[in-house]
């Protein structure tokens, strides 16, 4: 006899609207109703996010500040206040926890919740989502959008559907059609590189993806093929992972040829430190221990670390620490095939990430 079908789950994805920008507008009435960008003020700055007023001009996250200013000459640049964003994040997570312990944060402002069983015993997940949105508004003064569905894939896409301050419910019978209309580049788990490869193969939407059989997808996308195949059909059985504390952040690089020259080694460690710094800032995960990893030509690995009294707060300090750790090993006894740098002993909390297809060089030590 066949096993009974697994019970349908009820998943909510919550995502705050224009998060950093909304917090800034909440705390400074002079910014309300205006086009503002958080970050990006300096000559090489990048916009972290912007208000919906600024989005009308085409300003977007990750856009160079200079470009944003050209699109929207009246744009006001505001410095980020990460402590405040972190405390709002803690507030919304506390609200989620009144409903379920199955919470998977993706960043400070978004999370998946499994509310199949929920603490107040509310039968309708849509009702739970309404209640959560209402409490967020009441307790933080900010708006959030929610997607409600039977899996993470669709719930995440749904939360984006009626932004800002929106709710979107996709029922099991509607999932396949919802996915068919979806541009593949919007699917969480299909990064820009994969989306471009799909574009070259004539795959723009879920429907196009669904027209290709599994072996075609395996030929072009290897081990990710099954995820795409199922996604195109509205199927995704990934569980909501409960929160895991991040223990470290690191970046490492394997070289095409083993490196021995001191100058080249120091140059590489500097490059790795820069890229690690970008990762640290994105995750807002600052640590006070810097760890160097060297893998030699014979595959033996050494790690060396240095701890500071307080978390490393600047890219200069990180670069210096990385260089000093490496210098103490020079000259190397044989060529290095890999160098890595990480920070441990993180302060506060970071996010447990779900790796996308662009994260190949990033790993947890
Ligand atoms: N963020 C960032 N750099 C990016 C993207 C985002 O620093 N490239 C930060 C700023 C955002 C926050 O993360 O406020 C949340 O990211 P979202 O993608 O959820 O964007 P917003 O919440 O700002 O806007 P939306 O209403 O589209 O969710
Ligand atoms: Mg958001």
């Amino acid at each position: 006899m066949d096993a009974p079908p697994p019970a349908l789950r009820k998943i909510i994805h919550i995502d705050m609207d224009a998060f950093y920008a909304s917090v800034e507008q909440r705390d400074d009435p002079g910014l309300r109703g205006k086009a503002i960008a958080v970050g990006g003020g300096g000559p090489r700055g990048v916009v972290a996010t912007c208000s919906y007023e600024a989005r009308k001009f085409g300003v977007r996250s990750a856009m160079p500040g200079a470009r944003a200013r050209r699109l929207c000459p009246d744009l006001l640049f505001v410095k980020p206040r990460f402590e405040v964003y972190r405390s709002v994040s803690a507030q919304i997570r506390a609200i989620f926890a009144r409903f379920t312990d199955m919470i998977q944060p993706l960043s400070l402002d978004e999370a998946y919740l499994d509310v199949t069983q929920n603490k107040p015993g509310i039968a309708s997940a849509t009702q739970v989502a309404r209640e959560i949105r209402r409490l967020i508004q009441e307790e933080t003064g900010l708006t959030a959008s929610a997607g409600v569905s039977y899996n993470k894939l669709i719930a995440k896409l749904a939360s984006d559907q009626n932004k800002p301050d929106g709710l979107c419910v996709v029922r099991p019978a509607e999932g396949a059609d919802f996915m068919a209309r979806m541009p593949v580049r919007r699917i969480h788990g299909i990064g820009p590189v994969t989306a471009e490869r799909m574009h070259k193969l004539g795959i723009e939407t879920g429907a196009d993806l669904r027209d290709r059989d599994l072996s075609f997808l395996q030929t072009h996308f290897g081990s990710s093929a099954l995820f795409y195949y199922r996604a195109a059909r509205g199927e995704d059985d990934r569980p909501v992972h409960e929160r895991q504390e991040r223990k470290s952040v690191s970046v490492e690089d394997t070289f095409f040829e083993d490196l021995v020259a001191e100058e080249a080694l120091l140059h590489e460690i500097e490059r790795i430190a820069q890229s690690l710094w970008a990762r640290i800032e994105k995750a807002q995960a600052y640590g006070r221990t810097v760890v160097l990893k060297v893998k030699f030509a014979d595959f033996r690995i050494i790690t060396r670390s240095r701890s500071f009294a307080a978390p490393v707060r600047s890219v200069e300090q990180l670069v210096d620490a990385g260089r000093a750790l490496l210098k103490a090993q020079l000259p190397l006894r044989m060529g290095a095939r890999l160098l890595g740098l990480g920070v441990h002993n993180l302060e506060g909390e970071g996010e447990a990430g779900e790796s996308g297809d662009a994260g190949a060089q990033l790993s947890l030590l």
Side-chain angles (χ1 to χ4, degrees):
M1 239 177 71
D2 287 341
L8 277 180
R9 294 176 299 155
K10 298 177 180 183
I11 309 294
I12 300 177
H13 178 259
I14 301 268
D15 188 325
M16 302 294 286
D17 302 317
F19 184 46
Y20 299 177
S22 306
V23 171
E24 298 308 326
Q25 289 181 321
R26 176 194 72 176
D27 294 349
D28 180 353
L31 299 175
R32 290 182 200 159
K34 302 214 168 116
I36 72 161
V38 177
R44 279 196 298 274
V46 168
V47 173
T49 193
C50 60
S51 62
Y52 275 80
E53 291 85 348
R55 292 183 197 196
K56 289 187 200 134
F57 294 84
V59 180
R60 293 288 179 270
S61 285
M63 183 179 273
R67 165 125 196 268
R69 210 184 294 273
R70 276 200 300 279
L71 289 169
C72 178
D74 292 332
L75 190 63
L76 298 171
F77 287 88
V78 182
K79 277 214 186 81
R81 294 179 301 150
F82 292 113
E83 344 65 73
V84 184
Y85 312 145
R86 275 198 292 268
S87 84
V88 174
S89 182
Q91 268 182 297
I92 64 172
R93 287 184 197 170
I95 293 172
F96 304 155
R98 292 177 215 161
F99 294 86
T100 177
D101 290 326
M102 294 175 75
I103 304 169
Q104 179 182 2
L106 290 179
S107 67
L108 288 181
D109 89 321
E110 64 178 300
Y112 293 112
L113 316 181
D114 185 327
V115 299
T116 315
Q117 311 282 335
N118 58 80
K119 297 178 188 178
I122 301 169
S124 153
T126 307
Q127 198 48 44
V128 174
R130 283 207 186 95
E131 189 62 5
I132 289 175
R133 284 183 359 98
R134 187 183 68 72
L135 289 166
I136 289 177
Q137 166 83 262
E138 189 174 290
E139 296 179 22
T140 70
L142 300 166
T143 62
S145 296
V148 181
S149 197
Y150 56 97
N151 62 37
K152 296 206 292 190
L153 169 78
I154 299 179
K156 173 140 170 103
L157 289 164
S159 71
D160 221 28
Q161 207 67 6
N162 298 322
K163 255 183 178 297
D165 201 12
L167 174 70
C168 172
V169 182
V170 180
R171 293 181 180 76
E174 303 159 346
D177 283 348
F178 180 83
M179 290 309 298
R181 291 192 301 271
M182 197 54 66
V184 289
R185 65 187 149 70
R186 286 191 45 204
I187 298 173
H188 188 57
I190 298 186
V193 175
T194 304
E196 183 53 34
R197 282 169 56 205
M198 288 188 176
H199 169 75
K200 292 201 173 115
L201 293 166
I203 301 170
E204 309 289 349
T205 64
D208 299 334
L209 196 55
R210 193 175 178 158
D211 284 344
R212 309 306 195 272
D213 61 25
L214 185 57
S215 69
F216 175 91
L217 296 177
Q218 276 163 339
T219 305
H220 292 279
F221 303 106
S223 61
S224 303
L226 192 57
F227 173 74
Y228 303 153
Y229 180 86
R230 290 199 176 131
R233 287 156 182 77
E235 295 165 12
D236 168 28
D237 54 14
R238 291 169 304 164
V240 171
H241 295 288
E242 291 177 35
R243 170 149 134 223
Q244 277 174 296
E245 289 288 311
R246 184 198 285 284
K247 295 274 192 286
S248 65
V249 186
S250 66
V251 171
E252 54 183 49
D253 219 344
T254 302
F255 308 119
F256 192 63
E257 282 174 3
D258 297 343
L259 289 189
V260 263
E262 301 196 359
E263 206 168 308
L265 286 161
L266 289 167
H267 175 76
E268 285 304 321
I269 204 68
E270 205 160 299
R271 208 178 47 72
I272 289 169
Q274 304 273 3
S275 129
L276 174 61
W277 183 251
R279 181 90 180 102
I280 289 170
E281 289 222 290
K282 182 133 192 283
Q284 286 291 297
Y286 299 94
R288 55 180 192 82
T289 302
V290 179
V291 182
L292 167 78
K293 173 172 163 182
V294 183
K295 190 195 270 183
F296 292 101
D298 63 359
F299 285 79
R300 297 228 312 237
I301 293 172
I302 58 159
T303 59
R304 293 290 180 271
S305 67
R306 170 162 178 211
S307 291
F308 297 91
V312 175
R313 288 283 176 206
S314 71
V315 64
E316 292 79 18
Q317 190 187 356
L318 187 66
V319 169
D320 286 350
R323 285 177 61 97
L325 283 165
L326 181 59
K327 267 192 174 157
Q329 303 305 314
L330 298 178
L332 293 186
R333 51 185 172 83
M334 67 173 80
R337 53 178 288 117
L338 172 152
L339 286 180
L341 204 61
V343 291
H344 294 229
N345 284 322
L346 304 183
E347 65 171 1
E349 53 177 27
E351 279 72 62
E354 200 162 77
S355 62
D357 59 359
Q361 292 294 326
L362 305 172
S363 65
L364 298 182
L365 268 181

